[in-house]
Amino acid sequence: MKKSFDVVVIGTGEAGSAVAMQCRAAGQKVAIVDSRPFGGTCGLRGCDPKKVLVGAAEIIDRKRRMEGRGVAGDLRIDWPELIRFKATFTDPFPRQREDGFVQAGVEPFHGRARFLDQRSIEVGEAMLDGAHVVVAVGAWPTRLGIQGEHHLTRSDQFLDLQELPRRIAFVGGGYIGFEFGHIAARAGAAVTILHQGARPLKHFDQDLVARLVERTRDVGIDVRTGTKVTGVERASGNFKVTALTDSGPEVFEADMVVHAAGRAPEVDDLDLSAAGVEFDRRGIRVNGHLQSVSNPAVYAAGDAANSGGLPETPLAQYEGGLVAHNIVEGNQRTADYLGMASVVYSIPALGAVGMTEEEAHAKGLTFTVNQADTSSWYSARRVAEPASMYKILIEKGSGKILGAHLLGPEADEFANVFALAIRADVRADALKHALFVYPTQASNMAGML
């Protein structure tokens, strides 16, 4: 079966969905393909279900912090019940998303896509020819090349656990290790995070990361840096994790070992070479319009694109919309990642917007750094949060906010305020005198700037 379309989209996550729906709204004939249930990582295997679990863990942590401060009584997470609640969000989603495509006139196809030539893909017995093909397949756990790698539990599998193991080891100290580690610890598991490098969460401000690591250890999570996992072995009903440390080999025992060592664009089996599409470990190589540098019929968005953007849901949506515009109107828009925000949903949350000090120095910028421990500020004291800090980078002369780094209560929402300010080029002085509602995190800005 051969069918022709104006646009063929591979991937039904936020990037792919944005492309498909916007191109269809502009009158394009659109097909969309996915080998997994429709909905993508965020809605099914990432942000949304994770945040449901984070919400429960935050309740437990806040109750513990407030003990002796007017809050008393027992409280615990019922893990099976929590997973059932999570499923009320994820289970209906694939059908809802596919129905949305059908109602909009986007033709859905189920199966793994494989390029046949520059503009055609094969999906099962169907061959789809597109004037444009958009790759928005997302990312998948990167291969580690260690012995016993098949024993590792993926993050999507963790989100479906019907029972929480007693001891959990996370291989890697990035988003997944810290977010899922904090959830599991609040649910009663003994958690170990094994990180190969000297510094976890390397894309975040390291002063704030150091404080988060202290807080993480204070709640009983064993954070090991400089620990390179070399193998995982099943033994006597559990697992032995072998690792190399500065002091020599070490073995860790766990009932589950979770892959938390990064993700890579899931493009290896698309046969991109058949389409003449260049790619590397960061994804499909694209120009500023998110168009393949080697095949103008192909665009890429989200985690599949080596675009310089962060692996974030809002960025995937943004890139999907940009690709749709460039397909419909011609290459008129280029990607602009000014003021990208990112958050680690640990407890407390760690947020970052804009540049780190290292990045600002690398660009040769002259700036001041405003920073402080805010655990004694009202916003932290009222919820008894001991880990609360900020660091703001302000360019000398212009007063531009170059970067904002936040640790503490509501750091995720507060990061959005700074993202908007940087994106809209609102200067520090203007924000300092803004009349925000008090008492909120935003009203703390006057003291930060």
Side-chain angles (χ1 to χ4, degrees):
M1 180 179 66
K2 182 175 181 179
K3 305 190 78 169
S4 296
F5 297 87
D6 297 310
V7 184
V8 176
V9 182
I10 308 173
T12 59
E14 300 311 305
S17 295
V19 176
M21 297 300 274
Q22 291 182 40
C23 285
R24 180 62 193 138
Q28 303 271 298
K29 185 179 180 183
V30 181
I32 196 161
V33 181
D34 208 322
S35 61
R36 297 191 176 91
F38 279 27
T41 299
C42 182
L44 296 176
R45 304 178 291 274
C47 322
D48 289 356
K50 171 195 70 183
K51 197 70 184 292
V52 173
L53 306 191
V54 169
E58 286 174 333
I59 293 170
I60 298 298
D61 190 71
R62 186 163 181 175
K63 184 266 176 185
R64 290 173 181 171
R65 297 195 314 265
M66 293 298 292
E67 286 178 352
R69 296 174 174 87
V71 176
D74 295 329
L75 198 63
R76 66 177 182 88
I77 286 178
D78 182 330
W79 187 265
E81 185 63 32
L82 178 59
I83 295 301
R84 284 192 288 272
F85 177 56
K86 183 271 305 182
T88 65
F89 296 88
T90 55
D91 285 359
F93 192 56
R95 173 52 58 189
Q96 292 169 352
R97 176 144 290 187
E98 184 166 355
D99 286 348
F101 290 138
V102 172
Q103 291 167 12
V106 175
E107 189 166 351
F109 291 85
H110 292 270
R112 189 63 184 169
R114 182 175 69 88
F115 276 93
L116 299 174
D117 55 39
Q118 288 194 321
R119 300 189 314 156
S120 299
I121 66 169
E122 180 182 68
V123 185
E125 297 181 356
M127 187 173 78
L128 313 181
D129 182 75
H132 297 97
V133 179
V134 181
V135 181
V137 291
W140 197 245
T142 188
R143 286 198 56 80
L144 303 182
I146 62 174
Q147 184 177 3
E149 185 169 354
H150 61 282
H151 291 309
L152 296 178
T153 296
R154 301 188 309 267
S155 58
D156 60 310
Q157 294 171 321
F158 180 93
L159 290 168
D160 285 333
L161 289 175
Q162 297 304 304
E163 297 288 343
L164 189 69
R166 185 172 60 88
R167 300 171 301 172
I168 304 176
F170 290 87
V171 180
Y175 289 87
I176 292 172
F178 273 80
E179 292 176 341
F180 288 21
H182 274 258
I183 292 168
R186 281 11 179 260
V191 174
T192 303
I193 296 175
L194 306 174
H195 184 65
Q196 178 174 337
R199 306 189 312 182
L201 300 168
K202 62 181 181 179
H203 297 301
F204 290 81
D205 179 86
Q206 290 305 302
D207 290 333
L208 274 64
V209 169
R211 182 67 188 94
L212 175 60
V213 169
E214 289 178 8
R215 174 81 159 90
T216 302
R217 287 171 172 156
D218 287 345
V219 299
I221 297 174
D222 186 7
V223 181
R224 301 291 188 98
T225 57
T227 303
K228 181 180 180 180
V229 172
T230 57
V232 181
E233 176 187 357
R234 181 182 287 277
S236 302
N238 54 30
F239 297 96
K240 289 186 177 180
V241 182
T242 55
L244 293 177
T245 70
D246 294 338
S247 58
E250 193 165 349
V251 176
F252 301 86
E253 293 190 356
D255 301 305
M256 173 176 285
V257 187
V258 179
H259 187 308
R263 296 165 65 81
E266 196 182 6
V267 299
D268 289 348
D269 62 350
L270 293 179
D271 203 358
L272 293 173
S273 60
V277 174
E278 295 181 9
F279 68 101
D280 55 30
R281 66 184 183 86
R282 297 180 184 273
I284 292 173
R285 295 183 58 214
V286 293
N287 59 26
H289 304 292
L290 301 183
Q291 182 182 41
S292 165
V293 298
S294 56
N295 179 351
V298 173
Y299 289 77
D303 293 350
N306 184 356
S307 63
L310 294 171
E312 301 282 345
T313 294
L315 185 130
Q317 294 170 329
Y318 165 75
E319 289 188 343
L322 188 147
V323 166
H325 180 90
N326 286 336
I327 287 174
V328 173
E329 303 293 342
N331 286 344
Q332 296 181 352
R333 295 181 182 175
T334 56
D336 176 8
Y337 302 119
L338 178 69
M340 283 190 297
S342 183
V343 170
V344 180
Y345 283 103
S346 49
I347 303 173
L350 173 68
V353 187
M355 301 180 201
T356 62
E357 288 184 82
E358 293 83 359
E359 291 167 339
H361 282 306
K363 290 181 177 292
L365 300 173
T366 304
F367 57 95
T368 59
V369 178
N370 295 349
Q371 65 183 65
D373 182 306
T374 57
S375 57
S376 64
W377 288 21
Y378 175 79
S379 54
R381 282 191 60 206
R382 75 178 185 85
V383 293
E385 176 52 71
S388 184
M389 298 176 63
Y390 73 86
K391 182 182 289 187
I392 314 297
L393 281 54
I394 303 172
E395 187 176 31
K396 289 183 178 179
S398 71
K400 286 185 176 181
I401 300 171
L402 302 176
H405 306 277
L406 310 159
L407 174 68
E410 301 167 6
D412 51 345
E413 294 293 355
F414 200 14
N416 287 329
V417 179
F418 278 102
L420 180 60
I422 293 174
R423 190 82 174 173
D425 197 23
V426 178
R427 305 305 166 95
D429 280 349
L431 279 176
K432 188 171 184 176
H433 297 99
L435 300 176
F436 290 111
V437 171
Y438 178 87
T440 61
Q441 284 288 8
S443 64
N444 285 335
M445 276 188 164
M448 296 180 173
L449 302 173

